[in-house]
Amino acid sequence: ILEIFKAVVSTQSTGIMMKANIQAVSLKITTLKSQGAMANAMKGVTKAMGAMNKQINMPQMQKIMMEFEKEADMMDMKEDMMNDIVDDVMGAEEDEEESDQLVNQVLDELGLSLGEELGAVPVASGTVGGGKEKASSKQDADDELQARLDNLRRD
């Protein structure tokens, strides 16, 4: 009985070893298949890259890139010019505010109030600014003085 038991155990261990060897061979076959598929894929990529390299005309590509760079530079310059124009326009509004503040500061230093003292300024007789009629009401006089003040600010 002991002999039979030893024979059965020996047969089982041999079967297990054979099963492990078969699994190892199976894994090697799977690895080889994967490597073959990778080689075929690389072959296809190589062909595609070769075809793309044949289609690319480097001198033409350089010319296109130089033209692109030139157009991009022109666009940048135009954008800078537009920004400068917008800044100048916006700056003119700020300059007007600054000039108003400066006029008010000078009047304050002289002890005059713009609103109160303008009403007391005498209106010149005759024509003002090339043929205007003499102001007949206080509103016309205020408008005329305001126009004169605006002309002085522009200068």
Side-chain angles (χ1 to χ4, degrees):
I1 288 198
L2 189 55
E3 291 282 329
I4 296 175
F5 182 68
K6 284 183 183 181
V8 170
V9 170
S10 175
T11 306
Q12 282 182 345
S13 67
T14 305
I16 291 174
M17 290 296 282
M18 288 177 66
K19 184 177 179 181
N21 285 338
I22 291 172
Q23 285 178 342
V25 169
S26 176
L27 285 174
K28 285 183 181 183
I29 291 171
T30 304
T31 302
L32 289 173
K33 283 184 181 179
S34 296
Q35 288 176 347
M38 182 63 79
N40 284 335
M42 289 174 64
K43 181 180 175 183
V45 169
T46 302
K47 285 182 182 179
M49 288 172 67
M52 289 302 297
N53 283 334
K54 287 179 184 177
Q55 289 179 358
I56 294 175
N57 183 353
M58 284 308 290
Q60 182 183 13
M61 182 67 73
Q62 286 177 328
K63 182 180 175 185
I64 290 170
M65 294 306 291
M66 289 175 62
E67 190 170 329
F68 175 81
E69 183 178 3
K70 177 182 161 186
E71 293 297 327
D73 288 343
M74 285 179 59
M75 187 177 211
D76 287 342
M77 287 190 298
K78 288 179 182 180
E79 181 182 3
D80 289 342
M81 289 172 55
M82 291 299 291
N83 288 337
D84 290 345
I85 290 170
V86 169
D87 289 344
D88 288 346
V89 168
M90 299 306 279
E93 292 176 5
E94 292 173 4
D95 291 343
E96 187 176 319
E97 291 175 11
E98 289 177 15
S99 65
D100 287 344
Q101 288 177 351
L102 184 60
V103 167
N104 288 334
Q105 182 181 0
V106 169
L107 290 174
D108 289 342
E109 289 175 4
L110 294 174
L112 300 173
S113 173
L114 184 63
E116 296 172 4
E117 298 297 325
L118 282 181
V121 174
V123 178
S125 61
T127 61
V128 176
K132 287 186 179 179
E133 294 181 13
K134 186 177 178 181
S136 61
S137 70
K138 186 174 180 176
Q139 183 63 33
D140 291 337
D142 288 344
D143 291 342
E144 185 177 303
L145 286 173
Q146 186 63 43
R148 292 171 74 191
L149 182 60
D150 291 341
N151 283 335
L152 288 173
R153 286 182 182 163
R154 282 188 221 135
D155 294 339

